[in-house]
Amino acid sequence: MPLTIGVPREVFAGEKRVATVPEVVAKLIKLGFKVVVESGAGNFANFGDEAYQEAGAEIIADTAALWAASDIVFKVRGPSEAEVGLMREGGTLISFIWPAQNPDLMQKLAAKKATVLAIDCLPRQLSRAQKMDALTSTAGISGYRAVIEAANAFGRFFNGQMTAAGKVPPAKVFIAGAGVAGLAAIGTAANLGAIVRANDTRAEVADQVKSLGGEFVKVDYEEEGSGGGGYAKVMSEGFQAAQREMYAKQAKECDIIITTALIPGKPAPKLITAEMVQSMKPGSVIVDMAGEQGGNCELTVPGEAVVRHGVTIIGYTDLPSRLAKQSSMLYSNNLLRLAEELCKTKDGIINVNMEDDALRGLTVVKDGNITWPAPPLNLPAPPAKPAAAAAAPAAKKSAHGHGGGEPMPANKVAIVIAVAAALFALIGAYAPATFLGHFTVFVLACFVGYMVVWNVKPSLHTPLMSVTNAVSSIIAIGALVQIAPPLAADITRPDVVIRWLAVVSIALATINMFGGFAVTRRMLEMFRK
């Protein structure tokens, strides 16, 4: 018998998202499930009961009745104590759980003999798990909204302007942390015209920051900051001291600071001190995205916007809910992909396969047994770096130009030169008198042509396009020489056929060159804003 998926109304204060939207309801039904939705569950995200009914869901007004009817419950926030009491014995729950921060909740769910899939425990290292990665989709929305909140509290334009009334300087924005949320904030602030700077403990994100229009600010301390699962690791005290010095400098220079530093299961690191806040210009703004875990700023008040030393410090903990419709759509798509993994047979029956790395990582309680944390993934080992000794043959091969790796013996070189000289002398003795002149021109043309074509800088869209245009240019020049009038009266006039072939060559080479530029221009337009 097909299982029933229940979507209750979120009871957490200020939570406006809903776990499933009408568009996804229709797709869940195609997987064989029955879907029931609590009346008003999607109201705050602008999804009315009528839309759910049109998609095929059943609307249930009573909360207890909905929980009793649900074999599987889709939620955004973890269940409250009252909701755990309403949960069906042996049922399945899929939502954010944060097991490290909520051990009591884990015990209560285990007592219900439940199976719990914590969407926040997805092993993000697995490429095939990206479609279920609700943390990434939620963080992207939070980063975007953080910039919007900063712009709302800031007293100027983000972009610089020259007006009749005077010059408006661009806002300077510093973003601490270049994870998913930080990168979304960088792109949004840059698109609004601000001067954007960013920092992260992971050096490999520098190129991503630059690609979004930001400037990567490096800490003057060498230490690798990459941790597991795409997160940064806790850094050494030496690094943190150098980092605080850099933050203090940015606080004095920048108008807006957005902090995103957070490691799951740990309190938010304090990056912005009270002294740094006091050093900021009056009217500046700090958006602390780690407010729910205590905040990255010492003066943050979680859930509120406060003014300290003339600086507005925003510690909202509901940034995704401030874009409830968009957040709900992305989150429901993540849950749909998870449902497809659980129900590959499309018969409305789920199989929590503990041999599947992605599902194993998600499952924190299985049939009443706490299975969190999951064992480490058996990821393929990174390729070993070649030994220094192995590089020597390759260097020799590159230097001498042949695959043997060793220089050609002197006696063989002498033999090759002698044979070539003999062949050249033989040809010169019996060939026409003009042959040597033509042969010399041919050799020089090959050399010059090679140097011209392969030294063209790939300043167009691709190196291939540059080389192609170089070849076409050489063809056009050669054809023009054939069409040109004779240089002296004793030079035989080119044959008519040769002239017409030269005309055709010029036409084809020109089409190739201009067509290449046109295609390149169209391709580059795809990457322009």
Side-chain angles (χ1 to χ4, degrees):
M1 182 178 177
L3 300 178
T4 299
I5 295 176
V7 183
R9 182 192 300 200
E10 296 295 324
V11 298
F12 188 86
E15 183 56 73
K16 298 179 180 179
R17 291 172 289 175
V18 62
T20 301
V21 302
E23 180 183 353
V24 170
V25 166
K27 296 176 182 178
L28 291 172
I29 292 174
K30 287 182 179 179
L31 288 176
F33 297 106
K34 178 183 177 183
V35 181
V36 295
V37 179
E38 184 177 355
S39 180
N43 285 352
F44 290 120
N46 297 317
F47 298 111
D49 292 347
E50 299 79 9
Y52 284 105
Q53 287 177 320
E54 291 175 3
E58 177 187 347
I59 302 298
I60 297 180
D62 184 67
T63 303
L66 178 126
W67 281 87
S70 303
D71 301 298
I72 307 168
V73 175
F74 281 5
K75 274 183 58 61
V76 179
R77 297 271 185 170
S80 65
E81 186 174 349
E83 288 177 319
V84 174
L86 295 174
M87 189 175 178
R88 177 186 289 188
E89 190 90 7
T92 299
L93 172 68
I94 302 176
S95 73
F96 284 99
I97 297 295
W98 303 108
Q101 291 96 317
N102 298 293
D104 292 341
L105 175 60
M106 294 282 286
Q107 294 295 336
K108 292 173 183 176
L109 291 169
K112 276 285 187 175
K113 306 296 182 185
T115 295
V116 182
L117 280 73
I119 202 70
D120 48 275
C121 291
L122 181 76
R124 303 168 78 185
Q125 306 96 312
L126 300 175
S127 57
R128 69 181 186 86
Q130 293 177 2
K131 60 185 178 181
M132 302 178 279
D133 190 359
L135 282 174
T136 294
S137 56
T138 302
I141 292 172
S142 298
Y144 170 86
R145 185 67 192 195
V147 176
I148 301 304
E149 294 293 341
N152 181 56
F154 190 51
R156 296 204 322 261
F157 299 133
F158 264 46
N159 63 321
Q161 295 186 14
M162 290 291 293
T163 70
K167 178 182 177 182
V168 179
K172 293 181 180 179
V173 179
F174 177 72
I175 297 170
V180 176
L183 292 173
I186 292 167
T188 305
N191 288 338
L192 289 175
I195 297 173
V196 184
R197 303 169 184 170
N199 168 262
D200 196 279
T201 58
R202 297 160 295 182
E204 66 266 19
V205 305
D207 290 338
Q208 299 177 46
V209 171
K210 294 175 184 176
S211 69
L212 290 170
E215 174 192 351
F216 188 79
V217 182
K218 194 174 183 298
V219 176
D220 189 17
Y221 193 96
E222 294 298 329
E223 182 177 350
E224 176 55 44
S226 296
Y231 297 100
K233 71 175 184 180
V234 178
M235 306 300 286
S236 68
E237 183 56 40
F239 181 92
Q240 292 181 35
Q243 187 181 52
R244 283 192 293 269
E245 183 178 344
M246 181 269 290
Y247 284 154
K249 180 181 178 182
Q250 295 300 322
K252 293 178 182 178
E253 297 179 1
C254 293
D255 304 298
I256 295 168
I257 294 178
I258 299 175
T259 64
T260 70
L262 190 63
I263 299 175
K266 299 181 182 296
K270 299 300 180 185
L271 305 178
I272 308 299
T273 64
E275 290 77 14
M276 294 180 194
V277 175
Q278 193 168 6
S279 71
M280 296 180 73
K281 297 182 285 260
S284 298
V285 179
I286 296 174
V287 181
D288 192 340
M289 295 180 61
E292 197 162 3
Q293 298 301 323
N296 296 134
C297 176
E298 287 184 348
L299 302 181
T300 296
V301 179
E304 299 181 21
V306 297
V307 179
R308 299 287 185 268
H309 307 295
V311 178
T312 302
I313 304 173
I314 299 172
Y316 296 151
T317 58
D318 61 344
L319 290 175
S321 280
R322 291 172 181 260
L323 287 170
K325 185 169 186 175
Q326 184 70 74
S327 299
S328 300
M329 292 172 65
L330 295 181
Y331 181 65
S332 62
N333 279 330
N334 294 138
L335 295 192
L336 171 65
R337 302 309 171 200
L338 174 56
E340 291 174 345
E341 291 294 316
L342 292 169
C343 182
K344 294 183 177 179
T345 54
K346 298 184 180 182
D347 57 358
I349 305 297
I350 65 171
N351 174 29
V352 183
N353 181 11
M354 299 297 274
E355 300 299 320
D356 185 307
D357 287 337
L359 297 182
R360 175 64 188 87
L362 284 167
T363 307
V364 295
V365 182
K366 180 69 162 64
D367 298 327
N369 298 312
I370 295 178
T371 59
W372 181 86
L377 295 174
N378 293 321
L379 297 175
K385 294 183 179 180
K396 290 181 180 180
K397 174 180 177 180
S398 175
H400 298 286
H402 62 88
E406 296 292 335
M408 185 180 292
N411 57 344
K412 290 186 178 181
V413 174
I415 292 173
V416 170
I417 294 175
V419 172
L423 288 175
F424 189 74
L426 185 63
I427 294 172
Y430 294 96
T434 58
F435 172 78
L436 288 179
H438 289 308
F439 185 74
T440 302
V441 172
F442 172 74
V443 172
L444 290 175
C446 290
F447 175 75
V448 172
Y450 174 83
M451 296 301 295
V452 168
V453 171
W454 295 109
N455 283 319
V456 172
K457 299 296 182 183
S459 57
L460 299 177
H461 188 68
T462 63
L464 176 61
M465 190 71 72
S466 298
V467 173
T468 302
N469 280 342
V471 173
S472 299
S473 301
I474 294 173
I475 293 173
I477 293 171
L480 286 172
V481 171
Q482 294 298 324
I483 293 176
L487 299 177
D490 60 341
I491 298 177
T492 304
R493 187 178 181 85
D495 188 83
V496 175
V497 176
I498 295 178
R499 283 179 173 248
W500 279 111
L501 287 175
V503 170
V504 173
S505 299
I506 291 176
L508 294 176
T510 305
I511 291 172
N512 184 60
M513 285 189 289
F514 280 93
F517 281 114
V519 171
T520 299
R521 182 179 180 83
R522 291 189 62 181
M523 295 178 71
L524 293 176
E525 288 290 343
M526 297 169 60
F527 299 95
R528 289 179 181 157
K529 300 173 184 176

